[in-house]
Amino acid sequence: MMQSTPAWIVLAHLLRPQGRKGEVLAELFTDFPERFDEQRRVFLAAPGFEGREAEARPVDVVAFWLPVGKNEGRVVLQFAGIDTISDAESIAGKDVLVPREERLPLDNESVYISELIGCTVFDGQLAVGVVEDVQFAMTADGGRRLGDAAPLLVVRSLEADEILLPFAKAFLVRVDTEAKRIDMTLPEGLVEVNRPAGAGGNSEDQKR
């Protein structure tokens, strides 16, 4: 069953305090952190939030910067009214959201990660499954995201298997978030290799 278009766009996920004045380290879900210069008013809510705007916590971004070293690829955010370490601890684990209608436009080759959730992935004419999550490659210690590695789409197949597919430009044909559809041309055998051992049917046979 096709899922509805999400009402919210996730910009970042708050991890932990990063300073003494309420600064918070966050995992970025956008390739354009500079948009916090233009999009100062955001909302905080638990991951997976789908409620109304009145049920989310509005905050203003007063400063942000990109750390280096082990936290490279993340962002540090400072919000109005979050002034202490304990304040920062109280919002750790929240997502940074904006209503979908307030999202800033992206260029033609970019999408918001949260808009991929619920999209059906097609390999040519074959429906592979529905995107349930998006994962990012991390360093061995889990300390930071690998910027050069393609995100992985966590796809629930028609046989209810979980399949990991690289969201790589080399495989992409078209992404239509309004229609909740991702068209890809995947290398032969990739879907089967990324299925759990012994799971599902033979999708190559279905294609033929």
Side-chain angles (χ1 to χ4, degrees):
M1 180 176 176
M2 182 178 293
Q3 299 185 22
S4 60
T5 301
W8 296 89
I9 299 298
V10 182
L11 301 181
H13 176 72
L14 302 179
L15 297 171
R16 59 180 180 271
Q18 186 76 8
R20 296 180 177 275
K21 298 181 179 179
E23 305 95 328
V24 188
L25 182 68
E27 198 73 68
L28 269 172
F29 290 151
T30 171
D31 291 330
F32 308 100
E34 62 273 11
R35 67 183 47 249
F36 285 113
D37 270 332
E38 304 175 56
Q39 197 142 27
R40 294 281 178 165
R41 180 176 177 267
V42 296
F43 293 82
L44 304 182
F49 178 73
E50 296 179 355
R52 297 173 300 170
E53 187 171 311
E55 298 170 342
R57 177 179 177 177
V59 291
D60 291 326
V61 177
V62 295
F64 73 94
W65 60 91
L66 303 179
V68 296
K70 66 179 183 178
N71 287 315
E72 185 177 356
R74 292 173 168 170
V75 66
V76 177
L77 296 167
Q78 189 168 18
F79 303 106
I82 306 296
D83 302 317
T84 66
I85 294 175
S86 60
D87 287 344
E89 288 174 342
S90 73
I91 60 173
K94 302 288 188 183
D95 279 348
V96 181
L97 314 165
V98 291
R100 189 171 186 275
E101 63 271 15
E102 293 182 16
R103 73 197 191 282
L104 298 178
L106 300 178
D107 61 47
N108 291 334
E109 294 187 352
S110 300
V111 295
Y112 285 102
I113 293 298
S114 55
E115 290 192 302
L116 299 176
I117 307 299
C119 287
T120 299
V121 177
F122 286 83
D123 180 15
Q125 298 300 312
L126 175 70
V128 178
V130 177
V131 178
E132 292 190 333
D133 195 9
V134 181
Q135 298 177 354
F136 297 91
M138 306 294 290
T139 55
D141 62 0
R144 65 182 178 87
R145 201 169 92 190
L146 296 175
D148 294 336
L152 291 174
L153 302 178
V154 181
V155 177
R156 184 65 60 184
S157 76
L158 302 181
E159 296 84 13
D161 306 332
E162 183 182 278
I163 304 170
L164 299 180
L165 298 176
F167 187 62
K169 286 185 178 182
F171 305 152
L172 280 174
V173 176
R174 186 171 66 103
V175 178
D176 188 340
T177 56
E178 294 292 336
K180 305 303 289 179
R181 177 176 178 130
I182 302 171
D183 287 286
M184 306 183 80
T185 300
L186 299 171
E188 185 172 356
L190 179 66
V191 171
E192 292 307 315
V193 166
N194 289 324
R195 286 181 189 271
N202 190 327
S203 62
E204 289 300 311
D205 289 342
Q206 294 176 41
K207 288 172 69 175
R208 290 192 287 266

